[in-house]
């Protein structure tokens, strides 16, 4: 079950990557920091308000931070090179992490379990799981469903997809491409924050917990094929389960090395991802 | 003397001037950090070659630094005496590759000679760099950045999780690196001035090497790869081989820097392999102007020194992050880019801006 929990959070980070990649062609290296920010600010808000309200506030705060980042750093750049964007987003992730260190300190925090406690368990056909795992999987499933519906059935979602398909054409049709990019950063920050909130009772959260998540989220995004959010969910499960099995074979300290080796392997052998088509990826620009 | 070497002479003059300044102001303790800065600079000029000239980003160079440092530290501190009966060990011992010395508590230690350890570190680095570089350099853009970052994280996790590499504590009590009788690379205060000169002498040597490379056929080929890889390939330049060789060269620079700094500090810890270090190196190269060895070197001197002296305090990483963003937003060609002077002149005279040659 630990595999599925971690797999879900990796999938959420990967979806965050995909949303921004789809509208801008940028890989946002600060994606893991959104998850950290969501978890950290939810813990802080929970000191003054009930849990659901605290989570809502945390998501809104992270969403606003996402918007600010886009407006301050990304929006006014004219056709930036890929190298430049990589370095800028890495810089942003460092800034967020260091600010978090100065605001919250080095202590490890966690939200309480949403229902029950850490010892409560539910019998699911012979397997005992804590209710929080169900929360993680449930909330993530809802988030993915809502996102899919948003992109397919709402005007705004369709406009965003239009931007990713052909920015100039979208602009000619009256879509404000700049706002769509801001919106994609907000969406991706929000989904990261939701993920951070639901998972932090189990995994805990610390100022530097974003970077490993970003790397694994990227692994999952590549595994599923960059830009393909449904495949990312499957890929997330695969990575999470592989990782939890690797503990049987190798010491826990190498857990992260395992998943990154998988990333390297995928990049070397099949950069289009296991679910993607290599024909399509050749046409994309990295 | 060709114009290419004028800056080298000026640089050597600067190195001497700094030493004299610290001598007369009675602040020789600064030399310790300056020596450490020199070894980091060695890595940075190598990385500058890769990023600026070959146009390939690497977010994993701290990994190569750590491979060199850790290998050398492990080989020179691991006691082989219990295995002395083994055929391999006695063969090594007879061929003079091992040394006996006494440890802190007076017990005798049989370890690999630092020179052999250094050569071993270099060979292993070359092997790893070829192994990793081959497939990695086929990638571009985001994928290349993530793959090198991944390599760095793997090295970090391995040194952090491996018991015989000291796990979170790293390796300490690394002996000095003997150069001549009476001269070794070590952190003793009696050897501070010679060590300072040795370190910066090595940096100067590295610079001369790289400057010659840049102004050769290979260097021009690399610049053309950076400009337009496909076009360079069409002109008959073996792009893959040149990129790979530059990658290996910069990895060796990083590894040697790791070896020497480890001997100088007498130890190495896992933080040397962390991703933040790699990012910091890239930041310094970026500020220096990407394809500008002198810019990278001077920025490395200033920033590494400030950071090592602790002037940046707990905002150390944040400062580097901020610098990185500001440079990339406002001056993506770097602060000290090569056409800076002509650009300023053009601004002053107000003539129309024509396209810069890369």
């Amino acid at each position: 079950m630990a595999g599925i929990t971690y797999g879900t959070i990796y999938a959420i980070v990967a979806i965050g990557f995909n949303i921004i990649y789809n509208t801008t062609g940028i890989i946002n290296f600060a994606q893991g920091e959104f998850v950290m920010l969501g978890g950290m600010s939810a813990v802080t808000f929970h000191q003054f308000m009930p849990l659901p309200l605290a989570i809502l506030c945390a998501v809104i705060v992270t969403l606003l931070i996402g918007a600010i980042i886009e407006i301050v750093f990304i929006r006014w750049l004219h056709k930036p090179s890929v190298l430049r964007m990589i370095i800028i987003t890495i810089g942003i992730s460092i800034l967020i992490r260091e600010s978090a260190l100065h605001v919250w300190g080095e202590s490890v925090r966690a939200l309480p379990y949403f229902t029950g406690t850490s010892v409560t368990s539910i019998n699911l056909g012979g397997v005992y799981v804590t209710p929080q795992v169900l929360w993680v999987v449930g909330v993530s499933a809802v988030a993915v469903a809502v996102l899919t519906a948003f992109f397919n059935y709402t005007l705004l979602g369709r406009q965003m997809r239009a931007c990713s398909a052909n920015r100039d054409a979208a602009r000619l049709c009256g879509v404000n491409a700049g706002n769509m990019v801001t919106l994609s950063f907000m969406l991706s920050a929000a989904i990261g924050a939701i993920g951070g909130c639901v998972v932090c009772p189990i995994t805990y959260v610390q100022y530097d917990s974003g970077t490993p998540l970003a790397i694994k989220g990227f692994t999952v995004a590549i595994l599923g094929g960059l830009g393909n959010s449904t495949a990312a969910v499957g890929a997330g499960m695969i990575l999470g389960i592989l990782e939890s099995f690797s503990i049987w074979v190798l010491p826990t300290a190498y857990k992260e090395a395992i998943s990154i080796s998988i990333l390297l392997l995928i990049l070397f052998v099949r950069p289009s991802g296991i679910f993607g088509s290599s024909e399509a990826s050749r046409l994309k620009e990295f | 003397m060709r114009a290419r070497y004028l800056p080298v002479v000026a640089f050597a003059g600067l190195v001497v001037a700094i030493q004299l300044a610290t001598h007369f102001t009675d602040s020789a303790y600064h030399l310790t950090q300056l020596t450490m800065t020199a070894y980091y600079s060695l890595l940075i000029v190598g990385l500058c070659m890769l990023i600026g000239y070959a146009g390939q980003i690497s977010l994993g160079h701290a990994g190569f630094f750590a491979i060199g440092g850790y290998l050398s530290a492990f080989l020179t501190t691991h006691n082989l005496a219990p295995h002395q009966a083994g055929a391999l060990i006695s063969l090594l011992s007879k061929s003079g590759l091992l040394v006996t010395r006494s440890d802190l508590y007076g017990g005798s230690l049989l370890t690999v000679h630092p020179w052999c350890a250094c050569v071993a570190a270099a060979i292993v680095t070359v092997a790893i760099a070829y192994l990793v570089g081959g497939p990695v350099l086929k990638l571009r853009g985001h994928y290349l950045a993530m793959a090198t970052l991944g390599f760095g994280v793997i090295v970090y996790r391995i040194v952090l999780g491996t018991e015989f590499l000291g796990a979170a504590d790293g390796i300490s009590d690394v002996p000095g690196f003997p150069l001549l009788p009476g001269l070794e690379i070590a952190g003793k205060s009696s050897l501070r001035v010679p060590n300072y000169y040795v370190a910066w002498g090595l940096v100067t040597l590295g610079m001369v090497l790289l400057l010659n490379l840049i102004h050769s056929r290979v260097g021009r080929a690399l610049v053309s790869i950076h400009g337009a890889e496909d076009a360079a390939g069409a002109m008959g330049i073996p792009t893959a081989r040149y990129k790979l060789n530059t990658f290996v060269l910069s990895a060796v620079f990083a590894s040697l820097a790791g070896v020497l700094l480890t001997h100088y500090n007498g130890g190495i810890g896992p933080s040397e392999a962390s991703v933040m270090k790699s990012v910091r190196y890239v930041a310094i190269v970026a500020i220096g102007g990407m394809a500008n060895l002198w810019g990278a070197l001077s920025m490395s001197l200033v920033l590494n020194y400030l950071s090592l002296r602790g002037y940046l305090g707990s905002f150390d990483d944040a400062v580097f992050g901020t610098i990185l963003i500001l440079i990339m937003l406002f001056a993506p060609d770097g602060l000290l880019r090569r056409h800076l002077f002509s650009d300023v002149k053009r601004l002053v005279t107000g003539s129309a801006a024509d396209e810069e040659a890369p």
Side-chain angles (χ1 to χ4, degrees), chain A residues 35-59 61-62 65 99-112 114 193 196-197 200-201 204-207:
Chain A
V35 178
M36 181 273 293
L37 275 178
M40 281 298 227
S41 45
V43 174
T44 309
F45 283 124
H46 185 50
Q47 290 165 352
F48 330 105
M49 49 183 87
L51 193 60
L53 204 58
I55 291 175
L56 187 68
C57 287
V59 171
V61 164
T62 316
I65 291 174
S99 322
L101 174 62
H102 283 277
V103 172
W104 285 298
E106 287 189 11
S107 58
V108 180
R109 287 146 200 260
L111 280 176
F114 290 4
C197 291
C200 98
Y204 304 117
V205 57
Q206 205 185 351
Y207 77 97

Short mmCIF file of all heavy atoms in Angstrom, two decimals, chain A residues 35-59 61-62 65 99-112 114 193 196-197 200-201 204-207:
data_model
loop_
_atom_site.label_atom_id
_atom_site.label_comp_id
_atom_site.label_asym_id
_atom_site.label_seq_id
_atom_site.Cartn_x
_atom_site.Cartn_y
_atom_site.Cartn_z
N VAL A 35 4.31 21.29 -3.85
CA VAL A 35 3.80 20.26 -2.94
C VAL A 35 4.22 20.58 -1.50
O VAL A 35 3.43 20.53 -0.57
CB VAL A 35 4.33 18.87 -3.36
CG1 VAL A 35 3.85 17.80 -2.40
CG2 VAL A 35 3.92 18.56 -4.77
N MET A 36 5.51 20.94 -1.38
CA MET A 36 6.03 21.28 -0.05
C MET A 36 5.28 22.48 0.52
O MET A 36 4.84 22.46 1.67
CB MET A 36 7.54 21.56 -0.18
CG MET A 36 8.25 21.91 1.08
SD MET A 36 8.21 23.66 1.46
CE MET A 36 9.21 24.35 0.15
N LEU A 37 5.10 23.51 -0.33
CA LEU A 37 4.40 24.72 0.14
C LEU A 37 2.98 24.39 0.60
O LEU A 37 2.52 24.89 1.64
CB LEU A 37 4.32 25.75 -0.98
CG LEU A 37 5.53 26.66 -1.16
CD1 LEU A 37 5.29 27.57 -2.35
CD2 LEU A 37 5.76 27.48 0.09
N GLY A 38 2.29 23.54 -0.17
CA GLY A 38 0.93 23.16 0.20
C GLY A 38 0.90 22.52 1.57
O GLY A 38 0.13 22.93 2.45
N GLY A 39 1.77 21.53 1.76
CA GLY A 39 1.79 20.83 3.04
C GLY A 39 2.17 21.75 4.19
O GLY A 39 1.49 21.79 5.22
N MET A 40 3.23 22.53 4.00
CA MET A 40 3.73 23.40 5.07
C MET A 40 2.70 24.43 5.46
O MET A 40 2.42 24.64 6.65
CB MET A 40 5.00 24.12 4.60
CG MET A 40 6.22 23.28 4.64
SD MET A 40 6.60 22.75 6.30
CE MET A 40 8.32 23.10 6.40
N SER A 41 2.09 25.11 4.46
CA SER A 41 1.16 26.17 4.84
C SER A 41 -0.12 25.58 5.43
O SER A 41 -0.72 26.20 6.31
CB SER A 41 0.87 27.09 3.65
OG SER A 41 0.62 26.36 2.50
N ALA A 42 -0.50 24.37 4.99
CA ALA A 42 -1.68 23.75 5.60
C ALA A 42 -1.43 23.48 7.09
O ALA A 42 -2.30 23.72 7.93
CB ALA A 42 -2.03 22.45 4.88
N VAL A 43 -0.23 23.02 7.41
CA VAL A 43 0.10 22.77 8.81
C VAL A 43 0.02 24.07 9.61
O VAL A 43 -0.54 24.12 10.71
CB VAL A 43 1.51 22.15 8.94
CG1 VAL A 43 1.91 22.04 10.40
CG2 VAL A 43 1.56 20.80 8.28
N THR A 44 0.55 25.14 9.02
CA THR A 44 0.52 26.43 9.71
C THR A 44 -0.91 26.92 9.91
O THR A 44 -1.30 27.34 11.00
CB THR A 44 1.31 27.49 8.91
OG1 THR A 44 2.57 26.93 8.61
CG2 THR A 44 1.46 28.77 9.70
N PHE A 45 -1.72 26.87 8.83
CA PHE A 45 -3.10 27.35 8.94
C PHE A 45 -3.91 26.51 9.94
O PHE A 45 -4.80 27.02 10.59
CB PHE A 45 -3.80 27.31 7.57
CG PHE A 45 -3.39 28.43 6.67
CD1 PHE A 45 -2.86 28.18 5.42
CD2 PHE A 45 -3.53 29.75 7.08
CE1 PHE A 45 -2.48 29.21 4.59
CE2 PHE A 45 -3.14 30.80 6.26
CZ PHE A 45 -2.62 30.53 5.01
N HIS A 46 -3.55 25.24 10.03
CA HIS A 46 -4.33 24.34 10.89
C HIS A 46 -4.22 24.75 12.36
O HIS A 46 -5.05 24.36 13.18
CB HIS A 46 -3.85 22.90 10.70
CG HIS A 46 -4.67 21.91 11.47
ND1 HIS A 46 -6.05 21.89 11.41
CD2 HIS A 46 -4.32 20.91 12.31
CE1 HIS A 46 -6.50 20.94 12.19
NE2 HIS A 46 -5.47 20.32 12.74
N GLN A 47 -3.22 25.56 12.69
CA GLN A 47 -3.11 26.01 14.08
C GLN A 47 -4.23 26.97 14.46
O GLN A 47 -4.57 27.11 15.63
CB GLN A 47 -1.75 26.69 14.31
CG GLN A 47 -0.62 25.70 14.27
CD GLN A 47 0.72 26.35 14.12
OE1 GLN A 47 0.81 27.56 13.88
NE2 GLN A 47 1.78 25.58 14.25
N PHE A 48 -4.80 27.67 13.47
CA PHE A 48 -5.87 28.62 13.81
C PHE A 48 -7.24 28.21 13.31
O PHE A 48 -8.22 28.85 13.63
CB PHE A 48 -5.61 30.02 13.22
CG PHE A 48 -4.19 30.38 13.08
CD1 PHE A 48 -3.59 30.37 11.84
CD2 PHE A 48 -3.44 30.73 14.20
CE1 PHE A 48 -2.27 30.72 11.71
CE2 PHE A 48 -2.12 31.07 14.06
CZ PHE A 48 -1.53 31.07 12.82
N MET A 49 -7.34 27.23 12.45
CA MET A 49 -8.65 26.95 11.86
C MET A 49 -8.84 25.46 11.67
O MET A 49 -7.88 24.70 11.72
CB MET A 49 -8.79 27.69 10.54
CG MET A 49 -7.61 27.52 9.61
SD MET A 49 -7.79 28.47 8.11
CE MET A 49 -7.15 30.05 8.54
N PRO A 50 -10.10 25.04 11.47
CA PRO A 50 -10.34 23.61 11.26
C PRO A 50 -9.66 23.11 9.99
O PRO A 50 -9.33 23.89 9.09
CB PRO A 50 -11.86 23.52 11.15
CG PRO A 50 -12.32 24.89 10.85
CD PRO A 50 -11.34 25.81 11.49
N LEU A 51 -9.46 21.80 9.93
CA LEU A 51 -8.67 21.18 8.87
C LEU A 51 -9.14 21.51 7.45
O LEU A 51 -8.33 21.96 6.63
CB LEU A 51 -8.64 19.67 9.10
CG LEU A 51 -7.62 18.90 8.29
CD1 LEU A 51 -6.23 19.38 8.58
CD2 LEU A 51 -7.74 17.42 8.59
N PRO A 52 -10.43 21.34 7.12
CA PRO A 52 -10.83 21.59 5.72
C PRO A 52 -10.53 23.02 5.29
O PRO A 52 -10.03 23.26 4.19
CB PRO A 52 -12.34 21.32 5.74
CG PRO A 52 -12.59 20.50 6.94
CD PRO A 52 -11.56 20.89 7.94
N LEU A 53 -10.80 23.96 6.21
CA LEU A 53 -10.56 25.37 5.89
C LEU A 53 -9.07 25.62 5.71
O LEU A 53 -8.64 26.35 4.79
CB LEU A 53 -11.11 26.23 7.04
CG LEU A 53 -11.46 27.67 6.66
CD1 LEU A 53 -12.50 27.67 5.54
CD2 LEU A 53 -11.98 28.41 7.88
N ALA A 54 -8.25 24.98 6.56
CA ALA A 54 -6.80 25.16 6.48
C ALA A 54 -6.29 24.67 5.14
O ALA A 54 -5.45 25.32 4.50
CB ALA A 54 -6.10 24.39 7.61
N ILE A 55 -6.81 23.53 4.70
CA ILE A 55 -6.36 22.99 3.41
C ILE A 55 -6.77 23.91 2.28
O ILE A 55 -5.98 24.22 1.38
CB ILE A 55 -6.93 21.57 3.20
CG1 ILE A 55 -6.26 20.62 4.19
CG2 ILE A 55 -6.72 21.09 1.78
CD1 ILE A 55 -6.79 19.22 4.17
N LEU A 56 -8.01 24.42 2.36
CA LEU A 56 -8.48 25.34 1.33
C LEU A 56 -7.57 26.56 1.27
O LEU A 56 -7.13 26.99 0.19
CB LEU A 56 -9.92 25.76 1.65
CG LEU A 56 -10.59 26.60 0.57
CD1 LEU A 56 -10.82 25.75 -0.68
CD2 LEU A 56 -11.90 27.18 1.06
N CYS A 57 -7.25 27.14 2.43
CA CYS A 57 -6.38 28.32 2.47
C CYS A 57 -5.01 27.99 1.89
O CYS A 57 -4.44 28.77 1.13
CB CYS A 57 -6.22 28.83 3.89
SG CYS A 57 -7.68 29.64 4.52
N ALA A 58 -4.48 26.80 2.26
CA ALA A 58 -3.16 26.42 1.78
C ALA A 58 -3.14 26.32 0.26
O ALA A 58 -2.21 26.80 -0.39
CB ALA A 58 -2.74 25.08 2.39
N VAL A 59 -4.21 25.73 -0.29
CA VAL A 59 -4.27 25.60 -1.75
C VAL A 59 -4.32 26.97 -2.39
O VAL A 59 -3.64 27.24 -3.38
CB VAL A 59 -5.48 24.73 -2.15
CG1 VAL A 59 -5.68 24.76 -3.65
CG2 VAL A 59 -5.28 23.30 -1.69
N VAL A 61 -3.23 29.83 -1.19
CA VAL A 61 -1.94 30.52 -1.04
C VAL A 61 -0.95 30.00 -2.09
O VAL A 61 -0.30 30.78 -2.79
CB VAL A 61 -1.38 30.31 0.38
CG1 VAL A 61 0.09 30.68 0.43
CG2 VAL A 61 -2.17 31.14 1.37
N THR A 62 -0.88 28.69 -2.22
CA THR A 62 0.06 28.11 -3.18
C THR A 62 -0.29 28.52 -4.61
O THR A 62 0.58 28.84 -5.41
CB THR A 62 0.06 26.58 -3.07
OG1 THR A 62 0.09 26.22 -1.70
CG2 THR A 62 1.26 25.99 -3.75
N ILE A 65 0.90 31.91 -5.15
CA ILE A 65 2.35 31.93 -5.34
C ILE A 65 2.70 31.48 -6.76
O ILE A 65 3.55 32.08 -7.43
CB ILE A 65 3.05 31.03 -4.30
CG1 ILE A 65 2.91 31.67 -2.91
CG2 ILE A 65 4.52 30.84 -4.64
CD1 ILE A 65 3.42 30.83 -1.78
N SER A 99 13.44 30.25 1.25
CA SER A 99 12.46 31.06 1.99
C SER A 99 11.73 30.19 3.00
O SER A 99 11.52 30.59 4.14
CB SER A 99 11.44 31.70 1.06
OG SER A 99 12.03 32.10 -0.12
N ALA A 100 11.37 28.97 2.56
CA ALA A 100 10.67 28.07 3.48
C ALA A 100 11.54 27.75 4.68
O ALA A 100 11.07 27.68 5.82
CB ALA A 100 10.28 26.77 2.76
N LEU A 101 12.85 27.60 4.42
CA LEU A 101 13.77 27.31 5.52
C LEU A 101 13.77 28.46 6.53
O LEU A 101 13.75 28.25 7.74
CB LEU A 101 15.18 27.09 4.97
CG LEU A 101 16.29 26.91 5.99
CD1 LEU A 101 16.04 25.69 6.84
CD2 LEU A 101 17.64 26.78 5.30
N HIS A 102 13.73 29.71 5.99
CA HIS A 102 13.79 30.84 6.91
C HIS A 102 12.46 31.10 7.59
O HIS A 102 12.41 31.64 8.69
CB HIS A 102 14.29 32.09 6.18
CG HIS A 102 15.77 32.05 5.96
ND1 HIS A 102 16.66 32.45 6.92
CD2 HIS A 102 16.51 31.62 4.93
CE1 HIS A 102 17.89 32.27 6.47
NE2 HIS A 102 17.84 31.77 5.27
N VAL A 103 11.35 30.72 6.93
CA VAL A 103 10.04 30.95 7.53
C VAL A 103 9.72 29.86 8.55
O VAL A 103 9.31 30.14 9.68
CB VAL A 103 8.95 30.99 6.44
CG1 VAL A 103 7.57 31.04 7.07
CG2 VAL A 103 9.16 32.19 5.54
N TRP A 104 9.92 28.59 8.14
CA TRP A 104 9.44 27.49 8.96
C TRP A 104 10.53 26.76 9.73
O TRP A 104 10.25 25.92 10.57
CB TRP A 104 8.69 26.47 8.09
CG TRP A 104 7.32 26.94 7.70
CD1 TRP A 104 6.29 27.21 8.55
CD2 TRP A 104 6.82 27.18 6.39
NE1 TRP A 104 5.19 27.61 7.85
CE2 TRP A 104 5.48 27.60 6.52
CE3 TRP A 104 7.37 27.09 5.11
CZ2 TRP A 104 4.69 27.93 5.43
CZ3 TRP A 104 6.58 27.41 4.03
CH2 TRP A 104 5.26 27.82 4.19
N GLY A 105 11.78 27.03 9.40
CA GLY A 105 12.86 26.32 10.08
C GLY A 105 13.02 24.92 9.54
O GLY A 105 12.39 24.54 8.54
N GLU A 106 13.87 24.13 10.21
CA GLU A 106 14.21 22.82 9.67
C GLU A 106 13.31 21.71 10.18
O GLU A 106 13.47 20.55 9.81
CB GLU A 106 15.66 22.47 10.04
CG GLU A 106 16.67 23.26 9.26
CD GLU A 106 18.08 22.75 9.47
OE1 GLU A 106 18.23 21.66 10.05
OE2 GLU A 106 19.01 23.45 9.06
N SER A 107 12.35 22.05 11.07
CA SER A 107 11.60 20.97 11.71
C SER A 107 10.68 20.24 10.73
O SER A 107 10.20 20.81 9.76
CB SER A 107 10.77 21.54 12.86
OG SER A 107 9.92 22.52 12.36
N VAL A 108 10.46 18.97 11.02
CA VAL A 108 9.58 18.15 10.21
C VAL A 108 8.16 18.32 10.74
O VAL A 108 7.94 18.28 11.95
CB VAL A 108 10.01 16.67 10.31
CG1 VAL A 108 9.10 15.79 9.48
CG2 VAL A 108 11.44 16.52 9.87
N ARG A 109 7.22 18.55 9.86
CA ARG A 109 5.84 18.75 10.30
C ARG A 109 4.89 17.77 9.65
O ARG A 109 5.22 17.14 8.65
CB ARG A 109 5.37 20.16 9.91
CG ARG A 109 5.98 21.23 10.75
CD ARG A 109 6.19 22.47 9.90
NE ARG A 109 7.18 23.33 10.52
CZ ARG A 109 6.87 24.40 11.24
NH1 ARG A 109 5.62 24.71 11.44
NH2 ARG A 109 7.81 25.14 11.77
N ALA A 110 3.69 17.69 10.20
CA ALA A 110 2.68 16.83 9.59
C ALA A 110 1.30 17.34 9.98
O ALA A 110 1.12 17.95 11.04
CB ALA A 110 2.85 15.40 10.06
N LEU A 111 0.33 17.10 9.12
CA LEU A 111 -1.06 17.35 9.47
C LEU A 111 -1.56 16.12 10.22
O LEU A 111 -1.02 15.03 10.06
CB LEU A 111 -1.89 17.53 8.20
CG LEU A 111 -1.85 18.87 7.49
CD1 LEU A 111 -2.67 18.79 6.22
CD2 LEU A 111 -2.40 19.98 8.38
N PRO A 112 -2.61 16.28 11.03
CA PRO A 112 -3.21 15.08 11.62
C PRO A 112 -3.91 14.27 10.53
O PRO A 112 -4.20 14.78 9.46
CB PRO A 112 -4.23 15.65 12.60
CG PRO A 112 -4.54 17.01 12.08
CD PRO A 112 -3.28 17.50 11.45
N PHE A 114 -6.81 12.75 8.47
CA PHE A 114 -8.09 13.39 8.19
C PHE A 114 -9.21 12.70 8.96
O PHE A 114 -10.07 13.34 9.52
CB PHE A 114 -8.39 13.36 6.69
CG PHE A 114 -7.49 14.25 5.88
CD1 PHE A 114 -6.44 14.94 6.47
CD2 PHE A 114 -7.71 14.40 4.52
CE1 PHE A 114 -5.62 15.77 5.73
CE2 PHE A 114 -6.88 15.23 3.78
CZ PHE A 114 -5.83 15.91 4.37
N ALA A 193 -0.39 21.52 -4.38
CA ALA A 193 -0.71 21.82 -2.98
C ALA A 193 -1.72 20.82 -2.43
O ALA A 193 -1.59 20.36 -1.29
CB ALA A 193 -1.26 23.24 -2.86
N GLY A 196 0.14 17.81 -1.68
CA GLY A 196 0.96 18.00 -0.48
C GLY A 196 0.13 17.87 0.79
O GLY A 196 0.57 17.30 1.78
N CYS A 197 -1.11 18.41 0.75
CA CYS A 197 -1.97 18.36 1.95
C CYS A 197 -2.39 16.93 2.27
O CYS A 197 -2.31 16.50 3.41
CB CYS A 197 -3.22 19.21 1.75
SG CYS A 197 -2.86 20.95 1.70
N CYS A 200 0.70 14.65 3.42
CA CYS A 200 1.65 14.99 4.47
C CYS A 200 1.35 14.35 5.84
O CYS A 200 2.28 14.21 6.63
CB CYS A 200 1.89 16.48 4.55
SG CYS A 200 0.99 17.37 5.77
N PRO A 201 0.11 13.89 6.15
CA PRO A 201 -0.02 13.12 7.39
C PRO A 201 0.79 11.82 7.36
O PRO A 201 1.21 11.34 8.40
CB PRO A 201 -1.52 12.82 7.46
CG PRO A 201 -2.16 13.86 6.64
CD PRO A 201 -1.19 14.18 5.55
N TYR A 204 4.97 13.16 6.06
CA TYR A 204 5.52 14.35 6.71
C TYR A 204 6.06 15.32 5.67
O TYR A 204 6.21 14.99 4.51
CB TYR A 204 6.62 14.00 7.72
CG TYR A 204 6.15 13.02 8.76
CD1 TYR A 204 6.72 11.77 8.85
CD2 TYR A 204 5.11 13.36 9.62
CE1 TYR A 204 6.28 10.86 9.79
CE2 TYR A 204 4.66 12.47 10.56
CZ TYR A 204 5.23 11.21 10.66
OH TYR A 204 4.79 10.33 11.58
N VAL A 205 6.34 16.54 6.12
CA VAL A 205 6.82 17.55 5.18
C VAL A 205 7.88 18.40 5.86
O VAL A 205 7.83 18.64 7.06
CB VAL A 205 5.63 18.39 4.65
CG1 VAL A 205 4.88 19.05 5.77
CG2 VAL A 205 6.08 19.42 3.64
N GLN A 206 8.85 18.79 5.08
CA GLN A 206 9.98 19.55 5.58
C GLN A 206 10.35 20.55 4.50
O GLN A 206 9.92 20.41 3.36
CB GLN A 206 11.15 18.59 5.82
CG GLN A 206 12.15 19.05 6.84
CD GLN A 206 13.32 18.09 6.93
OE1 GLN A 206 13.28 17.02 6.35
NE2 GLN A 206 14.36 18.49 7.63
N TYR A 207 11.17 21.57 4.84
CA TYR A 207 11.42 22.62 3.85
C TYR A 207 12.06 22.06 2.58
O TYR A 207 11.89 22.60 1.51
CB TYR A 207 12.31 23.71 4.44
CG TYR A 207 13.77 23.35 4.53
CD1 TYR A 207 14.67 23.75 3.55
CD2 TYR A 207 14.24 22.59 5.59
CE1 TYR A 207 16.01 23.39 3.63
CE2 TYR A 207 15.57 22.23 5.67
CZ TYR A 207 16.44 22.63 4.69
OH TYR A 207 17.75 22.28 4.76
#
